[in-house]
Amino acid sequence: MAWWRWAANAPCLVVVVAAQAQWPAPPVPSPVAFESITDNRFSQLRRQAMQFVASRPRQGFQFVERHRDAEFQVHCRGIPVLWLERRSKHLLLQVSLDADQRAPVVLQLRAILQWQLEPLDHLEQVLAGVPEPVLMDRMLQVLAGQVPDGARCGVL
């Protein structure tokens, strides 16, 4: 009986993977929550992200401020690859699952930012409602294939 269920769901999975390959969705983020920080500290992190983008003028990066002192993003050719967002009780840092292909140098910025922050433990993250990318998200990202050369950043 179980193999019938699997056989019935297999065509659906094939359609989803084919659709993902044909029309790639925006990258799925991989979030991590950190303890809340002061306005001054958030401004320092914001400046570091701005300097990161400014030091790579022809590499396709853009700094996008969503809400002053609350959220900013780093985009690669118009697609967000890193987000930092202040929430009421914690800070959320997200990097797209395809950042290692799309903009590998942004992983350095993530490391610099993370190094300066105190992460919440796993239970605190769950209680804060921080979603973890599920296995299906990661699998679809892999099956979607490589990022085209023209969509990459940080590569001269």
Side-chain angles (χ1 to χ4, degrees), residues 22-136:
Q22 190 68 24
W23 299 285
V28 176
S30 179
V32 178
F34 297 89
E35 291 184 8
S36 191
I37 58 175
T38 65
D39 291 345
N40 188 34
R41 190 75 191 115
F42 187 83
S43 293
Q44 289 174 352
L45 298 175
R46 182 179 156 273
R47 279 193 300 275
Q48 289 175 347
M50 290 174 73
Q51 290 170 349
F52 170 87
V53 170
S55 69
R56 294 160 175 80
R58 292 181 294 279
Q59 294 184 13
F61 290 105
Q62 301 93 31
F63 179 84
V64 177
E65 190 159 37
R66 306 283 294 183
H67 303 285
R68 185 157 180 82
D69 296 326
E71 181 182 358
F72 65 80
Q73 299 177 351
V74 174
H75 289 202
C76 168
R77 305 202 189 285
I79 296 178
V81 290
L82 182 138
W83 305 252
L84 188 63
E85 177 185 352
R86 286 178 79 184
R87 296 193 173 173
S88 60
K89 298 186 189 253
H90 64 276
L91 190 68
L92 188 63
L93 176 63
Q94 303 179 79
V95 175
S96 66
L97 289 177
D98 71 346
D100 60 333
Q101 293 178 29
R102 184 176 301 278
V105 72
V106 85
L107 299 177
Q108 293 173 1
L109 176 60
R110 177 186 65 184
I112 290 167
L113 297 176
Q114 276 186 276
W115 177 75
Q116 301 171 71
L117 301 169
E118 186 66 36
L120 298 180
D121 65 34
H122 182 71
L123 179 59
E124 290 173 315
Q125 290 199 42
V126 169
L127 293 174
V130 176
E132 286 189 47
V134 295
L135 180 59
M136 181 62 104

